[in-house]
Amino acid sequence: MAIQTGSSLPRLSIEQLGISPQKVFDFLEYLKAQSIELHSFMLLRHGHVAAEGWWKPYEPALPHMLFSLSKSFTSTAIGMAVQEGLLSTEDRVVSFFPDDLPDEISPNLAAMTIRHLLIMGTGHTKDTMNALHQAEDGNWAKAFLRLPVEHEPGSYFLYNTGATYMLSAILQKVTGQTLLQFLQPRLFEPLGIHHPAWQSDPRGINTGGYGLKVTTEDIAKFGQFYLQKGVWNGQRLLEEGWIETATSKQISNGNGGDSDWTQGYGYQFWRCRHGIYRGDGAFGQFCIVLEKYDAVIAMTSGTNDLQGVLNGVWDHLLAAFELGEALEQGEALEQDQAFEQDRASACQGSAAKQLQRELEALCLEPPVFQRGSEREGMANGQKYKLAQNDFGIDHLRFQFNEQEAEVYIQDAAGEQSLKLGRQTWKPGRLTLFGEEEPCAGSFTWKTPHDLLLTIRTIETPFSHTLEVQFLEDGAIEIHRRVNVSFGATESAPLRGEPVS
């Protein structure tokens, strides 16, 4: 086992760590073949990084939105609070919120404990999160406690993000600290996780079930911490018993089979096939712990095909450990030899070197159609008044030069601009899709009349495509779509009229 020092995990070659480079390469090829969009990938074994890569414009230093992978961090905080005697898993939920209870407390609500929140066994029949978001007074805990609890707690599994929020709210009630503040000295600082950020509700309580942002290496450290049963740098941070319980099956969520969402659920961790467990989040944010192989896999993504990602891991990366072990024992690996021979004509070197070149070249290429159009001259500097829209944009205008386009956007807060590279990525910052965040933008001409803008918000899974059609009457029509979404991925066309 590696001894962690400093902020970064130690590195060793993939061959030294007994992993087949060909099978890792095959995993990358599988992602391409299945059109699965990963943003980052990190593979650890024996406490060392064996392989890592980021698909440009995503970068190692950038945090990434974790969505429900945040839940596993919330569970960890509860474990630490239990360890310190601040609360118990058998504490009743209603006991923490005497001022927010409904006039009549149902038997099922009265019976609900912290453990029921942890195992997604609250007894609700639908996720409570929508009701929490709709609370007019911003009191999410009060809204949660007023919802009907149809089943006896512990008897019925339902994935319920509101339950994880309640864990956060309880922790803050008990400690006077947010989740983020509580975990800072207990987990984040010891693991060298710098500048974590967590969204909050209107009352300043971290959302718990989503909203955490950390880097891919931070996710990998978290997985390694669990693989090491709560020990880091020789110091025990969390009891081994808690980790064993949290990552084992505590409630049934289906009948097994080929789905990795029906293998059982622990304390905010999913059980997987092959005796593996994971934390995961919407659109493909993964922390996978493979105890049998002393390994961790961390990934961030922008895909709806989460099962497809896991299928690729099971089909290719598990074999990478098995073939690698044969290599360590001096056995011939015909597949790896063939891998080297097939690519020898393109570039000399071992399979590991070939894999490294592939990892370093990873890129989500921007769309490329036509480099330019005569429309650029006509549209240069022209202002377009937009119809009413969800973004609150009043008007926009374009400015083109040889290497880039600049889009000027006017809303109630003033004017902002974003530069986009001509058929290449250009870094920038934008508030168009919410809070100001870093992004990468590019543009190309799909036809002489259709301008295609691609904007990736590179700390999230989201990539936004705006197709701007220049119409014969001088107006524009904007068609917007997003790669992944909890709702519709396409918006109604938006018309813009030219103004002087």
Side-chain angles (χ1 to χ4, degrees), residues 325-344:
E325 287 171 355
L327 177 63
E328 284 184 319
Q329 296 166 9
E331 299 176 16
L333 293 181
E334 295 180 1
Q335 293 183 66
D336 272 20
Q337 290 169 352
F339 174 76
E340 294 184 30
Q341 293 167 4
D342 290 344
R343 291 160 180 80

Side-chain angles (χ1 to χ4, degrees), residues 86 127 132 160 292 316 343 457:
L86 299 173
D127 191 342
L132 273 57
N160 185 353
K292 177 182 176 181
H316 300 289
R343 291 160 180 80
T457 47

Side-chain angles (χ1 to χ4, degrees), residues 279-327:
D280 75 25
F283 316 124
Q285 325 315 314
F286 286 104
C287 179
I288 305 171
V289 180
L290 307 92
E291 292 181 295
K292 177 182 176 181
Y293 302 104
D294 194 26
V296 173
I297 299 167
M299 293 179 284
T300 62
S301 315
T303 180
N304 284 317
D305 190 5
L306 275 68
Q307 186 64 70
V309 176
L310 293 177
N311 289 344
V313 171
W314 311 150
D315 291 345
H316 300 289
L317 297 184
L318 295 190
F321 299 118
E322 292 161 3
L323 285 172
E325 287 171 355
L327 177 63

Side-chain angles (χ1 to χ4, degrees), residues 10 82-83 151 176 185 249 263 277 286 376 385 412 425:
V82 169
Q83 179 175 271
H151 296 277
K249 180 178 177 179
Q263 307 296 319
Y277 67 87
F286 286 104
E376 289 187 18
K385 173 75 172 179
W425 295 119

Side-chain angles (χ1 to χ4, degrees), residues 199-494:
Q199 289 177 269
S200 298
D201 77 351
R203 294 158 63 92
I205 301 169
N206 290 148
T207 47
Y210 63 94
L212 179 61
K213 271 189 180 182
V214 295
T215 68
T216 308
E217 185 161 352
D218 295 335
I219 298 170
K221 291 175 183 177
F222 182 67
Q224 186 66 30
F225 168 70
Y226 266 77
L227 184 60
Q228 294 172 186
K229 305 296 185 183
V231 173
W232 196 262
N233 272 344
Q235 179 186 1
R236 176 160 295 285
L237 306 180
L238 183 56
E239 293 175 352
E240 182 173 350
W242 176 272
I243 287 182
E244 292 286 358
T245 302
T247 60
S248 61
K249 180 178 177 179
Q250 298 299 323
I251 190 171
S252 177
N253 60 356
N255 58 359
D258 293 333
S259 170
D260 284 294
W261 278 261
T262 57
Q263 307 296 319
Y265 195 76
Y267 288 177
Q268 312 282 295
F269 285 90
W270 297 89
R271 294 298 305 178
C272 311
R273 290 173 289 166
H274 310 288
I276 292 164
Y277 67 87
R278 73 184 191 279
D280 75 25
F283 316 124
Q285 325 315 314
F286 286 104
C287 179
I288 305 171
V289 180
L290 307 92
E291 292 181 295
K292 177 182 176 181
Y293 302 104
D294 194 26
V296 173
I297 299 167
M299 293 179 284
T300 62
S301 315
T303 180
N304 284 317
D305 190 5
L306 275 68
Q307 186 64 70
V309 176
L310 293 177
N311 289 344
V313 171
W314 311 150
D315 291 345
H316 300 289
L317 297 184
L318 295 190
F321 299 118
E322 292 161 3
L323 285 172
E325 287 171 355
L327 177 63
E328 284 184 319
Q329 296 166 9
E331 299 176 16
L333 293 181
E334 295 180 1
Q335 293 183 66
D336 272 20
Q337 290 169 352
F339 174 76
E340 294 184 30
Q341 293 167 4
D342 290 344
R343 291 160 180 80
S345 60
C347 184
Q348 298 297 317
S350 70
K353 290 180 180 177
Q354 296 290 346
L355 172 62
Q356 186 59 34
R357 291 188 183 96
E358 182 73 12
L359 289 167
E360 290 172 356
L362 293 174
C363 182
L364 296 174
E365 299 287 352
V368 173
F369 290 100
Q370 300 178 18
R371 181 170 173 80
S373 165
E374 292 181 356
R375 283 279 178 177
E376 289 187 18
M378 301 168 61
N380 239 358
Q382 175 63 60
K383 184 183 293 186
Y384 296 91
K385 173 75 172 179
L386 300 187
Q388 186 175 0
N389 58 86
D390 293 339
F391 297 113
I393 300 174
D394 182 69
H395 65 260
L396 57 78
R397 60 187 173 92
F398 302 96
Q399 198 74 40
F400 298 92
N401 63 37
E402 181 62 26
Q403 299 299 326
E404 63 187 29
E406 192 161 8
V407 184
Y408 295 86
I409 302 163
Q410 180 75 43
D411 59 16
E415 186 176 71
Q416 61 175 311
S417 68
L418 177 67
K419 292 182 179 180
L420 304 100
R422 190 182 292 273
Q423 302 189 150
T424 188
W425 295 119
K426 181 85 174 179
R429 299 188 70 85
L430 192 64
T431 59
L432 182 59
F433 307 112
E435 296 180 1
E436 184 184 34
E437 54 191 338
C439 60
S442 72
F443 78 99
T444 186
W445 288 89
K446 194 171 180 180
T447 73
H449 302 280
D450 294 340
L451 176 65
L452 194 65
L453 313 178
T454 305
I455 304 168
R456 289 188 171 275
T457 47
I458 52 178
E459 292 185 359
T460 81
F462 304 116
S463 177
H464 306 265
T465 301
L466 307 176
E467 188 169 341
V468 184
Q469 297 178 346
F470 290 83
L471 307 177
E472 292 299 323
D473 62 1
I476 59 173
E477 190 171 84
I478 303 174
H479 299 256
R480 174 183 170 265
R481 63 181 182 273
V482 64
N483 60 334
V484 291
S485 173
F486 290 114
T489 56
E490 297 190 21
S491 302
L494 178 63

